[in-house]
Amino acid sequence: MFTFQLLTGFMMNIWHYLKEKRVKMAKKFEALRAKMSPESRFLADKKAQGMLAEMPLKELRQARGLSQKKLAEALHIQQPAIAKMEKRTDMYISTLRSHIEAMGGKLEILASFPDGTVQINNFSDLG
């Protein structure tokens, strides 16, 4: 059975060996991407765009480079309220709008149907 000390020592030995042999462990993303087939690059880009198109509020805030504290300051509320808001699955549209606007965005509500998408504008006068 491995102990933490044995495991740590083992990992340090591997690190020293790789350093001594001058093995590069990290590669630049662009170098890896250049080796991909055009089809693989296309599929990776499509998946990345899909991931960026949908994300929870917490990930959106992080992607925008904002801390909970900075967002709370912009909204004139306490930081714990941001943490609570990011965990909610239901909130007022006006609350969501102010949250998005504090991040520098604009809230748009879309309804998707099999025959097309419609932007709902009832809420444009709120706030």
Side-chain angles (χ1 to χ4, degrees), residues 108-113 115-121:
E108 294 180 353
I109 299 177
L110 303 175
S112 298
F113 299 95
D115 57 342
T117 302
V118 177
Q119 183 173 350
I120 307 298
N121 62 9

Side-chain angles (χ1 to χ4, degrees), residues 12-24:
M12 289 302 294
N13 287 339
I14 291 174
W15 183 79
H16 286 296
Y17 172 80
L18 294 173
K19 185 177 175 186
E20 183 179 295
K21 297 290 183 185
R22 298 175 193 233
V23 174
K24 289 187 178 182

Side-chain angles (χ1 to χ4, degrees), residues 58-104:
K58 178 180 179 178
E59 290 179 20
L60 177 59
R61 174 187 49 76
Q62 291 170 338
R64 304 281 306 156
L66 292 168
S67 66
Q68 287 183 343
K69 184 178 178 182
K70 287 279 187 196
L71 187 56
E73 289 171 1
L75 291 168
H76 307 290
I77 59 177
Q78 298 293 315
Q79 178 273 325
I82 298 295
K84 186 176 179 181
M85 194 181 309
E86 290 178 345
K87 292 177 185 172
R88 294 191 67 172
T89 57
D90 189 20
M91 69 179 73
Y92 288 116
I93 292 171
S94 57
T95 302
L96 181 58
R97 172 179 280 115
S98 62
H99 198 93
I100 297 299
E101 288 176 353
M103 287 190 266

